[in-house]
Amino acid sequence: MTTANIGVYGLGTMGSALALNMAEHGFDVAVTNRETEWISSFVAEAGELKGRLHPHDKLDDFVAGLKTPRVILFMIPSGKPMDMMIEAVTPLLEPGDTIIDGGNANFHDTRRRSAVLSEQDIHFVGMGVSGGEHGARHGPSMMVGGTAHSWQQLQRILTAIAARFEGASCVDHLGPDGAGHFIKTVHNGIEYADMQIIAEIYGLLRNGAAWSPVEIGQLFAEWDKGPLRSYLVEITGKVLQYHDPATGHPVVDVIKDAAGQKGTGRWTVVEAVRMGQAANVIEAAVGARSWSSEKDTRVAVQNILGGGRTAIDIDAVALADAFMAARLLCHAQGFRILASASDTYDWELDFARIAEIWRAGCIIRSALLDDIAEAFRGDLPQGELILAPAFTAVLSQTLPALRQVVGAAVSGGHAIPALSSALQWYDTMRQGYGTANIIQAQRDFFGHHGFERLGEEGKHHGPWWD
Ligand code: 6PG
């Protein structure tokens, strides 16, 4: 009997696609699934890859069919199911074996699981996988956490199946325990922000300038050929040009304006706040999704308070610049969260490498990420992306347009939570002397909390206490 290089447990969309991708690259893959009836149909439909797929109905046979030290990739819902599977599989494993969780898990769970399993010398890898079904099948971007030992076991397989950017594989071992899942979480936070910025730009053109979906789609297709090139711009350009076969309307007009979310965007915001950060563009995007799902309330509010919006004078060039500025600022916020986490958890993250891995295969892949990778490899004052020489130039060129677009949108009553948050963050950060002196005075006045005087060490109180 062939012993397989890796086992894949969970033959849902992502698990099946990854198993086929591995088989296509010449690896023998043991496969199994909780609902055992899926297994034979999956293998039967695998065509010429069938020979590389080794189906098992029973967990112990599946484990016994793996080369040692074993590597098992779980592609199952995160949370309780993962804990249950760890409990079921661990007694069948030996020291040196590796369990991988390839789902969108909360990195706190990953850290806890790693710590518990390490007591038995079983390695636990939290691996972020991005790119949806197509990515998983033909080349995902993968953010790998866990031990160096696990990476040694996995490197050959993952490097072979990953997306490629100019020949380089979009996968790496980025840090210990929960680092891989944390990086994927922040990837998703940026994904939420970029999607929201795009939705707001669509809204301004549609509701403020009376452009048709097809016209907006064509503009996005145009943008996809320049510095705004990205997967999300490309697919937005495409979806806007589709028509609904049932009604003949633009398909976007028949889709309910209530967006779902599974939690990774929210986790990004929660973890940022926990570490004393405020990723306000990402937060605005998460909040906008939550408000979007309050459809009935919004309809009621519109009926009572009115939903009037006026036409606004915007041009496509200014919008492109505003988009670039907001996109850059939300990425900068994402990398600040990664920097905080790296310090908090001693991960020693390589930000340039993370940006490189995001250049292909993942949902936020874009031309900007190549520039970000380069910026992190160069001179970065204060470690701040917005201070990289290339980006100070971009910001000074695009910020006037962001300010103009936000100003026009606000005057016209158009909701632009992400675009305006980006501008607010920028305007806050460029003030060396802000307004928190007032907060400190208030805190001291009502609570005797004390404040620092400019240029002086130590705690002082205001004359209101004399
Ligand atoms: C990816 C995506 C993916 C995520 C979906 C849906 O990188 O491939 O981030 O992992 O599950 O985008 O996320 P929401 O349901 O939260 O929008």
Side-chain angles (χ1 to χ4, degrees):
M1 189 175 96
T2 318
T3 48
N5 302 95
I6 186 166
V8 174
Y9 186 106
L11 297 174
T13 312
M14 295 295 282
S16 314
L18 285 170
L20 291 172
N21 189 349
M22 290 170 188
E24 192 167 64
H25 283 88
F27 298 102
D28 283 295
V29 188
V31 290
T32 190
N33 193 62
R34 191 164 74 102
E35 293 83 3
T36 47
E37 60 278 13
W38 294 18
I39 305 169
S40 49
S41 54
F42 164 68
V43 175
E45 286 162 20
E48 57 188 22
L49 298 177
K50 222 185 279 185
R52 294 265 178 218
L53 298 168
H54 308 283
H56 298 278
D57 282 355
K58 295 210 177 77
L59 189 62
D60 46 1
D61 292 342
F62 168 74
V63 172
L66 297 171
K67 282 197 173 99
T68 56
R70 302 173 186 85
V71 182
I72 302 177
L73 169 62
F74 282 92
M75 294 303 297
I76 60 177
S78 56
K80 203 150 177 77
M82 192 63 215
D83 283 321
M84 285 164 61
M85 283 318 302
I86 289 173
E87 209 180 303
V89 80
T90 309
L92 306 172
L93 300 181
E94 289 172 303
D97 290 351
T98 288
I99 297 173
I100 312 160
D101 176 1
N104 277 333
N106 188 311
F107 86 109
H108 290 298
D109 287 338
T110 308
R111 281 166 63 79
R112 169 179 55 80
R113 290 165 182 151
S114 304
V116 170
L117 287 168
S118 72
E119 284 164 20
Q120 300 167 61
D121 200 19
I122 291 175
H123 298 251
F124 188 73
V125 171
M127 179 170 83
V129 181
S130 181
E133 181 182 2
H134 185 269
R137 178 67 184 85
H138 301 287
S141 163
M142 289 171 287
M143 295 136 254
V144 182
T147 62
H149 164 88
S150 298
W151 178 238
Q152 227 177 8
Q153 288 173 283
L154 287 167
Q155 187 170 10
R156 199 164 67 93
I157 302 177
L158 297 184
T159 306
I161 68 162
R164 274 169 208 286
F165 181 85
E166 293 174 357
S169 280
C170 290
V171 62
D172 211 340
H173 179 222
L174 298 171
D177 55 71
H181 274 152
F182 189 87
I183 294 163
K184 176 60 172 40
T185 299
V186 173
H187 164 284
N188 283 24
I190 297 171
E191 174 185 303
Y192 274 52
D194 207 27
M195 290 169 78
Q196 177 65 24
I197 291 165
I198 289 173
E200 289 174 16
I201 288 171
Y202 156 80
L204 291 177
L205 286 167
R206 189 79 199 276
N207 307 314
W211 285 38
S212 72
V214 169
E215 287 169 328
I216 304 170
Q218 286 163 350
L219 177 64
F220 274 88
E222 205 45 50
W223 283 349
D224 196 38
K225 295 178 193 145
L228 286 168
R229 183 169 48 79
S230 77
Y231 173 67
L232 286 169
V233 166
E234 177 197 334
I235 63 167
T236 308
K238 286 185 178 152
V239 299
L240 282 164
Q241 297 186 61
Y242 274 92
H243 284 83
D244 175 40
T247 59
H249 294 311
V251 79
V252 290
D253 285 356
V254 302
I255 300 175
K256 187 173 170 182
D257 57 332
Q261 53 179 315
K262 297 201 195 80
T264 43
R266 194 180 310 138
W267 294 343
T268 308
V269 173
V270 168
E271 295 309 327
V273 172
R274 230 195 270 275
M275 294 184 296
Q277 288 279 336
N280 72 331
V281 190
I282 299 173
E283 190 178 329
V286 173
R289 280 209 199 181
S290 304
W291 292 333
S292 83
S293 67
E294 290 189 62
K295 175 79 175 164
D296 294 344
T297 308
R298 286 187 291 111
V299 170
V301 173
Q302 178 173 351
N303 287 339
I304 296 169
L305 296 179
R309 292 176 290 217
T310 57
I312 53 174
D313 189 18
I314 36 167
D315 65 75
V317 176
L319 270 181
D321 278 352
F323 183 4
M324 179 52 92
R327 173 178 269 181
L328 173 54
L329 293 166
C330 83
H331 280 70
Q333 291 190 342
F335 278 96
R336 282 163 65 89
I337 303 171
L338 291 174
S340 287
S342 186
D343 287 348
T344 306
Y345 301 104
D346 279 332
W347 283 339
E348 296 182 15
L349 298 180
D350 178 343
F351 308 115
R353 195 70 197 110
I354 294 169
E356 281 167 4
I357 281 165
W358 289 348
R359 290 179 304 184
C362 70
I363 303 295
I364 63 169
R365 61 187 185 258
S366 70
L368 177 64
L369 276 162
D370 198 21
D371 298 339
I372 291 177
E374 207 171 304
F376 275 119
R377 294 255 175 253
D379 178 30
L380 210 53
Q382 306 283 322
E384 292 291 343
L385 210 44
I386 54 172
L387 296 182
F391 292 143
T392 55
V394 171
L395 285 171
S396 65
Q397 192 226 313
T398 57
L399 233 293
L402 179 61
R403 199 175 296 290
Q404 182 203 332
V405 167
V406 169
V410 169
S411 309
H414 297 265
I416 44 155
L419 288 168
S420 56
S421 297
L423 181 60
Q424 290 310 307
W425 183 58
Y426 175 82
D427 278 343
T428 299
M429 294 311 283
R430 69 193 182 86
Q431 294 306 322
Y433 189 70
T435 54
N437 48 338
I438 302 300
I439 311 289
Q440 285 297 74
Q442 291 166 335
R443 290 178 72 241
D444 185 58
F445 192 100
F446 66 62
H448 206 247
H449 294 291
F451 51 76
E452 278 178 74
R453 289 178 70 96
L454 283 168
E456 274 182 45
E457 293 284 318
K459 198 165 166 180
H460 299 269
H461 294 286
W464 40 84
W465 286 108
D466 291 343

